Amino acid sequence: MIVETIKDHVSSLGESPVWDSRAGRLYWIDYIEKKINYFLPEKNLLASYQLEVKPGCVAPTEFGNLLVGYEHEIGLFNLETLEMHSLFAPETGKDYNHFNDGKCDASGRFWIGSMTETQDWPGGALYKVEGKETCEKVLDQVTTSNGLVWSADTKTFYYIDSMAFSVVAFDFDIAKGIISNKRIVIDSRNEIGRLDGMTIDEEGFLWIAHWNGGQVSRWNPKTGKCVTRVFLPAYNVTSCCFGGKEWDVLYVTSAKVETDTHLLGKYPQSGQTFILNPGIHGLPTNFVKGM
């Protein structure tokens, strides 16, 4: 598989890639540098928005802005004024946590998880945001909340707590936004690295980034088996998403942080964002409603 990169841009900690089909634009964040990066393939344009806070994830909204999970809050970033407006602060006072990965379901709800800074105890949680009025805790006892996606028929929700070394599935009620019947579909205890961000393709297979693992892998959640591995010249691979006009481009983010001189010699493109053409299509991005 041919692997390219987005120019020579290097993120200290790139995460949360998401494709905005309306603008033909890829967004992703750099947690350490406090940036929202964006790339327009048709113009080969790469730029960023500098923030005053550390973002964990970003999602495009119905009205053309960005919903951002950052530090202990969830806010709306106005792309015209470049101002952040805090909406919810459900983790206020939890200095041992920060918001991490988040994504929007087919009904326009935003799901976002937190993680403990030390990643050695389950002090995080998963939340559900509906419009500007409601932010509800859905799960607790989470250590490192990461990848989350829904099946094409919206009946299954897949979720990763990296330190649980597994991918779990829940039955999903799209009308009510309720998850139930938790079960393990992938056991990753024997994998290289920890499972991080995730996306899903049109065949229902999960694409998962490996932190400390130098790869993105494709899994069949029905069998729990890995069917494809794409090894990358980046040690800490963080997340992935499908994009492009036909949803046939896989964008994969990575981090340079926690990569010493020895590892950089082996993984010289750590921190870059990769462009893959896996020969399969992904599912369209959902937009956060009411914002």
Side-chain angles (χ1 to χ4, degrees):
M1 187 181 300
I2 298 175
V3 178
E4 300 177 343
T5 60
I6 294 180
K7 296 189 174 184
D8 293 321
H9 174 80
V10 175
S11 295
S12 294
L13 180 45
E15 263 282 12
S16 184
V18 60
W19 179 258
D20 187 337
S21 56
R22 301 163 303 186
R25 177 183 290 197
L26 176 77
Y27 291 103
W28 73 103
I29 61 95
D30 188 329
Y31 175 77
I32 292 176
E33 304 301 330
K34 302 180 180 179
K35 290 181 178 181
I36 299 174
N37 301 309
Y38 65 90
F39 176 62
L40 285 81
E42 288 195 355
K43 297 182 179 180
N44 196 31
L45 172 64
L46 172 66
S48 63
Y49 301 112
Q50 183 66 56
L51 306 179
E52 296 181 355
V53 294
K54 291 181 175 180
C57 61
V58 61
T61 71
E62 179 182 16
F63 301 131
N65 294 306
L66 298 175
L67 194 63
V68 184
Y70 59 92
E71 298 176 3
H72 304 107
E73 301 181 46
I74 301 166
L76 190 63
F77 185 68
N78 188 306
L79 288 176
E80 293 186 358
T81 66
L82 304 185
E83 294 178 338
M84 184 81 78
H85 173 63
S86 178
L87 298 175
F88 307 101
E91 299 251 312
T92 297
K94 296 182 178 181
D95 294 339
Y96 47 82
N97 277 6
H98 69 262
F99 276 117
N100 197 38
D101 209 354
K103 203 164 289 183
C104 183
D105 71 23
S107 285
R109 307 178 190 90
F110 184 61
W111 297 66
I112 180 172
S114 61
M115 60 179 282
T116 55
E117 295 285 354
T118 55
Q119 299 188 67
D120 58 3
W121 69 291
L126 178 69
Y127 297 85
K128 175 180 62 177
V129 173
E130 297 192 67
K132 294 183 179 181
E133 308 300 325
T134 304
C135 180
E136 174 188 352
K137 183 185 290 187
V138 178
L139 292 175
D140 56 13
Q141 295 293 302
V142 175
T143 301
T144 308
S145 187
N146 258 313
L148 57 171
V149 294
W150 292 262
S151 59
D153 64 7
T154 73
K155 293 182 179 180
T156 306
F157 172 60
Y158 298 102
Y159 178 64
I160 294 172
D161 178 346
S162 295
M163 301 312 293
F165 297 97
S166 62
V167 179
V168 296
F170 295 85
D171 293 341
F172 186 66
D173 184 329
I174 186 66
K176 298 179 180 179
I178 295 174
I179 58 175
S180 61
N181 187 28
K182 179 182 178 181
R183 66 269 188 194
I184 294 174
V185 292
I186 295 172
D187 182 339
S188 66
R189 287 174 295 179
N190 294 322
E191 284 294 303
I192 298 174
R194 301 195 302 270
L195 302 188
D196 202 321
M198 172 172 60
T199 192
I200 191 167
D201 64 34
E202 62 183 354
E203 295 181 355
F205 285 67
L206 304 175
W207 292 80
I208 306 174
H210 292 232
W211 179 269
N212 290 171
Q215 63 182 287
V216 59
S217 55
R218 183 180 187 236
W219 296 75
N220 183 342
K222 294 182 179 179
T223 65
K225 303 297 182 183
C226 180
V227 297
T228 305
R229 297 183 190 274
V230 182
F231 294 96
L232 299 169
Y235 183 56
N236 292 318
V237 183
T238 57
S239 192
C240 53
C241 77
F242 280 95
K245 291 183 178 179
E246 304 297 327
W247 303 98
D248 59 348
V249 179
L250 186 68
Y251 292 100
V252 183
T253 53
S254 69
K256 189 175 181 180
V257 69
E258 297 184 19
T259 308
D260 59 22
T261 303
H262 171 73
L263 285 172
L264 279 175
K266 188 176 181 181
Y267 301 94
Q269 291 176 279
S270 292
Q272 294 197 13
T273 299
F274 300 91
I275 305 171
L276 285 64
N277 296 103
I280 195 165
H281 300 256
L283 303 181
T285 300
N286 300 312
F287 299 107
V288 182
K289 286 189 176 181
M291 302 187 197

